[in-house]
Amino acid sequence: MFKQSIKSGLGFLTLLAVSATTVEAQKTKPIPSTEKAPRLVVGIVVDQMRWDYLEKFAPLFKANGGFSRMMNQGFSNDNCQIGYTPSVTACGHTGIYTGTVPAIHGITGNAWYDTQLKRNVYCSEDRTVDGVGAAGASDGKMSPKNMLTTSIADELRMATNFKSKVIGIAIKDRGAILPAGHSANGAYWFDAKSGNFITSTYYFKELPNWVKQFNDRQIPDSLMKLGWNKSLTDQQYLQYATADEKNYESKPFGSNQTKMPYSLSRTANEGFGKLSTTPWGNTLTVELAKAAVFAEDMGKDAVTDMLAVSFSSPDYIGHSFGPNSWEVVDNYIKLDEELGRMFDFLDATVGKGKYTAFLSADHAVAHVPGFMKENKLPGGLLDDKAALTEMNAAIKAKFGIDKLVVSLFNYQVHYNRDLLDSLNADTKAINQFMVHYLMKKDYILNAFPTNEILTSPMPQYLREKLANGYLYNRSGDIQMVLKSGYIDGGATGTTHGLWYSYDAHIPLLWYGFGIKQGRSNNRVYMHDIAATLASLLKIQEPSGNIGHPIQEVLKQ
């Protein structure tokens, strides 16, 4: 069923690309036997992917699909962990490409309260630039300036005297911008209002012609008309998931659409936001990635280029429906096929065995609390907005200080430190009160002042993760450690962000030039990826790197 919908919906999109690819493939010269580096590195980050999906859904993957190809012909690090908290999108994308942790690269969350700027800051915001590519695109005021270290992409650019081309692509701005680094040749993300891929003046004053031409094809409109149809029979879905319709699942396509298949019809002024919460978001991402490789002549000579591709749609789908849903199963079936098509394209344009690809995730995800309760498993909810209000009320009642807590970003209590200083308040007494207050809450496993991370009693493994996520001016004053299975959210859907294995155990697959065939259960970390690439490419590791090359992956 899925292949039929692809053929009917994308035939008009791929005909020109296929013919052009054939011509270009004939021009591609083979890499000489003395070549010591891949022509292209393709970094693939699946936004919100648990490691166990690889095993759970393996029977559903096609032999020529992306996951099967990487697992059977490449190398799988089956025990890859995130070495910090919070396990969220911006930190994960940055950690993979910088080889380090938030305490060093500075991206301490998707957003944080900045004590120097005295306001909330979004991870990739840049008020000095403007959006490019969509009229009134406020979402375009973005750049990597908040990232404090270089990335492996930056190091590649410097190592080749900036002859390497580096491009980042994703639905989410942070998924495109942060991996591509400071010196990228371009980063492009999706503007849901217009249905266009956009960028910012950090990169260009206007979109390159090839991106304009891609946008002119109006692919999002065509994809939404196809709707979201099933890949399997109902009985097949039930082998991998719960019933299709659950009251703890969200309804991103409208309250009247409670189960698959979904209509994605839209009103004239609605925009294209629904597309991101479907597998078609992955299709759109692959199509732009292919267009970038073709238009920018990536991987056409011995100077290594880098393409950073992030698939954002699995995160939107996972948040809405949870790991045990039909929608997540269907997404990974279709993502496998999209990855297979992308590798086929790279084989034809760059050359089979002439590029290196890795696939990982920025974070995994917790089960939906409703699912946990249904199955008598531990878990629950934290309403962070209500909790912030209650904390401020408690502090005011005890100390007479109004609105001291300004945010609960990243599972930390952030004080208005200027207010504390102006009142000459007893911070130690307030901290003691807050810890005592929090430890009475059902959702709290542990709480302590962040300046006591290194001395508070806890397992060393957890201590290191918390310390690795802490940066004074971008972190809070009290650390909250939620109990296993608890999330900050509402009655439907799920999220991620904690240190537990369900959030922090991610896939890591390697494939192509310079990569051995095999798998290993040795523990490695997200921040080892950049060091491994540096070893493969024989270039300097990123400036803040703390990772180590995973030698068992590399042929040399």
Side-chain angles (χ1 to χ4, degrees):
M1 182 182 298
F2 177 61
K3 287 184 177 179
Q4 292 175 349
S5 66
I6 282 286
K7 289 179 180 178
S8 62
L10 289 182
F12 75 100
L13 303 176
T14 57
L15 181 59
L16 180 60
V18 169
S19 60
T21 295
T22 303
V23 173
E24 288 297 317
Q26 293 172 354
K27 296 179 182 178
T28 302
K29 297 179 181 179
I31 290 183
S33 58
T34 57
E35 197 72 41
K36 295 182 179 180
R39 289 187 171 185
L40 179 68
V41 172
V42 183
I44 302 168
V45 178
V46 182
D47 196 328
Q48 191 186 124
M49 183 175 181
R50 296 166 57 110
W51 169 82
D52 57 350
Y53 289 168
L54 288 176
E55 295 299 324
K56 182 177 180 180
F57 302 144
L60 302 175
F61 298 148
K62 305 297 184 183
N64 62 345
F67 292 120
S68 294
R69 199 175 310 191
M70 297 189 84
M71 294 176 72
N72 296 329
Q73 300 177 32
F75 198 97
S76 177
N77 290 115
D78 292 343
N79 189 13
C80 183
Q81 298 285 332
I82 297 174
Y84 59 83
T85 64
S87 49
V88 296
T89 297
C91 304
H93 283 80
T94 308
I96 286 172
Y97 285 86
T98 63
T100 192
V101 292
I104 297 172
H105 62 58
I107 304 299
T108 57
N110 292 333
W112 57 82
Y113 182 81
D114 192 296
T115 59
Q116 292 179 314
L117 298 177
K118 300 178 179 60
R119 64 175 178 85
N120 296 338
V121 172
Y122 177 64
C123 59
S124 51
E125 72 165 58
D126 186 346
R127 297 183 177 184
T128 69
V129 303
D130 293 312
V132 175
S138 60
D139 289 343
K141 298 176 75 66
M142 304 290 171
S143 86
K145 79 168 190 175
N146 291 324
M147 188 168 68
L148 304 180
T149 65
T150 63
S151 73
I152 189 64
D154 292 320
E155 296 298 333
L156 177 62
R157 292 271 288 154
M158 288 189 282
T160 61
N161 199 24
F162 299 94
K163 292 182 176 65
S164 294
K165 289 184 179 179
V166 171
I167 292 177
I169 290 171
I171 296 292
K172 294 181 182 179
D173 56 78
R174 56 189 183 268
I177 292 169
L178 298 171
H182 298 276
S183 62
N185 299 87
Y188 307 99
W189 55 96
F190 188 61
D191 175 54
K193 299 185 187 75
S194 64
N196 289 337
F197 276 92
I198 65 173
T199 188
S200 78
T201 53
Y202 179 88
Y203 304 98
F204 305 105
K205 292 183 179 179
E206 61 177 295
L207 282 175
N209 286 332
W210 68 268
V211 183
K212 291 180 182 178
Q213 292 169 3
F214 185 90
N215 288 335
D216 288 344
R217 291 159 66 186
Q218 299 182 338
I219 298 174
D221 186 63
S222 300
L223 293 176
M224 289 186 71
K225 289 177 181 177
L226 297 174
W228 182 357
N229 296 308
K230 299 176 184 178
S231 300
L232 305 173
T233 66
D234 291 2
Q235 288 303 312
Q236 287 175 308
Y237 282 114
L238 288 172
Q239 294 179 41
Y240 300 92
T242 60
D244 185 18
E245 192 172 4
K246 288 289 186 177
N247 60 9
Y248 48 73
E249 295 180 347
S250 299
K251 300 178 177 62
F253 310 115
S255 58
N256 61 326
Q257 296 200 69
T258 59
K259 59 182 180 179
M260 298 179 69
Y262 295 109
S263 167
L264 304 178
S265 61
R266 64 186 187 91
T267 61
N269 299 318
E270 184 179 352
F272 299 87
K274 292 177 182 176
L275 189 70
S276 299
T277 314
T278 75
W280 292 126
N282 302 325
T283 303
L284 188 63
T285 303
V286 166
E287 290 299 311
L288 185 67
K290 289 159 60 178
V293 171
F294 183 77
E296 298 284 356
D297 288 328
M298 300 184 78
K300 291 299 178 67
D301 55 35
V303 179
T304 303
D305 299 318
M306 183 173 290
L307 178 67
V309 184
S310 175
F311 291 97
S312 306
S313 289
D315 188 63
Y316 292 114
I317 295 168
H319 275 291
S320 295
F321 300 103
N324 299 282
S325 63
W326 291 23
E327 290 82 359
V328 163
V329 175
D330 198 75
N331 168 71
Y332 279 95
I333 293 172
K334 288 169 174 153
L335 177 57
D336 175 60
E337 295 189 3
E338 288 295 346
L339 290 171
R341 276 187 281 273
M342 185 170 74
F343 290 145
D344 287 342
F345 171 84
L346 293 172
D347 288 346
T349 54
V350 180
K352 187 175 178 63
K354 298 176 183 179
Y355 61 91
T356 302
F358 73 84
L359 181 148
S360 191
D362 52 352
H363 54 76
V365 69
H367 292 287
V368 181
F371 167 85
M372 300 294 280
K373 182 178 180 180
E374 181 179 71
N375 291 282
K376 300 180 181 179
L377 296 165
L381 294 171
L382 159 64
D383 183 338
D384 52 359
K385 292 182 180 179
L388 188 148
T389 300
E390 292 172 5
M391 287 178 195
N392 274 324
I395 292 172
K396 185 176 181 179
K398 177 68 175 180
F399 298 97
I401 304 174
D402 193 21
K403 297 181 180 178
L404 178 61
V405 179
V406 292
S407 90
L408 297 182
F409 276 131
N410 307 315
Y411 308 98
Q412 293 172 342
V413 180
H414 297 244
Y415 296 152
N416 182 336
R417 294 175 186 170
D418 288 344
L419 179 59
L420 284 176
D421 291 342
S422 67
L423 296 173
N424 196 26
D426 187 343
T427 303
K428 184 175 181 179
I430 294 172
N431 283 344
Q432 289 176 337
F433 171 79
M434 282 302 303
V435 169
H436 184 68
Y437 168 87
L438 286 168
M439 290 304 296
K440 296 178 181 178
K441 300 298 181 181
D442 289 341
Y443 52 83
I444 290 291
L445 177 72
N446 198 1
F448 49 86
T450 52
N451 61 8
E452 297 178 9
I453 290 176
L454 298 180
T455 57
S456 294
M458 70 184 90
Q460 182 64 21
Y461 184 66
L462 175 56
R463 184 194 315 282
E464 290 178 357
K465 286 198 171 191
L466 293 168
N468 285 343
Y470 177 79
L471 185 62
Y472 179 75
N473 286 323
R474 297 182 179 184
S475 295
D477 301 274
I478 302 290
Q479 179 73 56
M480 299 186 295
V481 181
L482 303 192
K483 291 178 181 176
S484 174
Y486 278 76
I487 67 167
D488 57 328
T492 61
T494 188
T495 192
H496 48 84
L498 302 181
W499 71 278
Y500 295 104
S501 59
Y502 54 75
D503 277 351
H505 187 183
I506 55 176
L508 177 54
L509 302 175
W510 303 86
Y511 172 74
F513 182 97
I515 302 301
K516 292 179 182 177
Q517 184 176 351
R519 64 192 304 172
S520 171
N521 281 310
N522 293 333
R523 174 165 288 184
V524 298
Y525 288 92
M526 170 191 282
H527 52 255
D528 293 326
I529 296 173
T532 306
L533 291 173
S535 180
L536 174 69
L537 300 173
K538 297 178 175 59
I539 63 174
Q540 180 68 281
E541 68 270 13
S543 59
N545 178 74
I546 63 169
H548 303 279
I550 309 172
Q551 296 293 351
E552 61 191 359
V553 165
L554 302 175
K555 288 183 177 178
Q556 296 179 348

